[in-house]
């Protein structure tokens, strides 16, 4: 089965940058769409960004537009989330997700494969 492992989280100051990575292994497909979600304490899991299997289409939630960039390697088995100008409101556990999708989706229910999450903490 597909396994996703996130890395790159940590504790940073407001205004700093972090680069998250998600490596896929197992029975993966090059045409998986991949996305990032996050969940803060006491809040629902929310969509952050997604990228199509060929990298030509991306989508972002409004709160991160202009600050975050999603990308994937040429091997198609790794996705990155470059996070700039981090704010305390970005503090959350960030999860990588993947699945075969006709269109990009902001719904967690449309993704069948999930990583374990990586903690991002932004102090003011």
């Amino acid at each position: 089965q597909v396994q996703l492992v996130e890395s790159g989280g940590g504790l940073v100051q407001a205004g700093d940058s972090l680069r998250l990575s998600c490596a896929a292994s197992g029975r993966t497909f090059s045409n998986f769409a991949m996305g990032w979600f996050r969940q803060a304490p006491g809040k629902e899991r929310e969509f952050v960004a997604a990228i199509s299997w060929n990298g030509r289409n991306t989508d972002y939630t409004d709160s991160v537009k202009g600050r975050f960039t999603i990308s994937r390697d040429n091997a198609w088995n790794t996705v990155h989330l470059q996070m700039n100008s981090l704010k305390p409101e970005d503090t959350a556990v960030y999860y990588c997700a993947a699945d075969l999708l006709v269109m990009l989706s902001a719904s967690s229910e449309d993704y069948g494969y999930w990583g374990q999450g990586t903690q991002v903490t932004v102090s003011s």
Side-chain angles (χ1 to χ4, degrees):
Q1 193 64 288
V2 175
Q3 293 182 333
L4 304 176
V5 179
E6 302 96 333
S7 62
L11 173 63
V12 298
Q13 295 273 5
D16 287 351
S17 298
L18 279 175
R19 183 176 174 85
L20 305 184
S21 297
C22 173
S25 62
R27 301 176 66 181
T28 59
F29 294 89
S30 61
N31 56 344
F32 271 14
M34 302 184 74
W36 288 95
F37 293 77
R38 65 187 181 186
Q39 187 167 23
K43 296 185 178 181
E44 297 242 358
R45 185 171 299 186
E46 67 171 340
F47 169 76
V48 178
I51 188 167
S52 61
W53 70 271
N54 58 10
R56 294 180 180 177
N57 297 297
T58 58
D59 191 25
Y60 301 89
T61 191
D62 287 343
S63 64
V64 308
K65 287 181 178 177
R67 299 189 298 121
F68 292 9
T69 302
I70 188 170
S71 63
R72 63 193 305 166
D73 289 350
N74 291 334
W76 309 117
N77 65 339
T78 304
V79 65
H80 307 280
L81 186 67
Q82 178 66 44
M83 305 184 295
N84 298 329
S85 302
L86 283 164
K87 305 175 180 179
E89 307 92 87
D90 297 317
T91 295
V93 176
Y94 283 70
Y95 297 91
C96 174
D99 214 332
L100 292 167
L101 300 176
V102 177
M103 301 175 63
L104 294 183
S105 176
S107 174
S108 61
E109 295 184 356
D110 289 333
Y111 294 86
Y113 303 100
W114 293 82
Q116 82 290 345
T118 185
Q119 177 70 47
V120 172
T121 302
V122 184
S123 62
S124 59

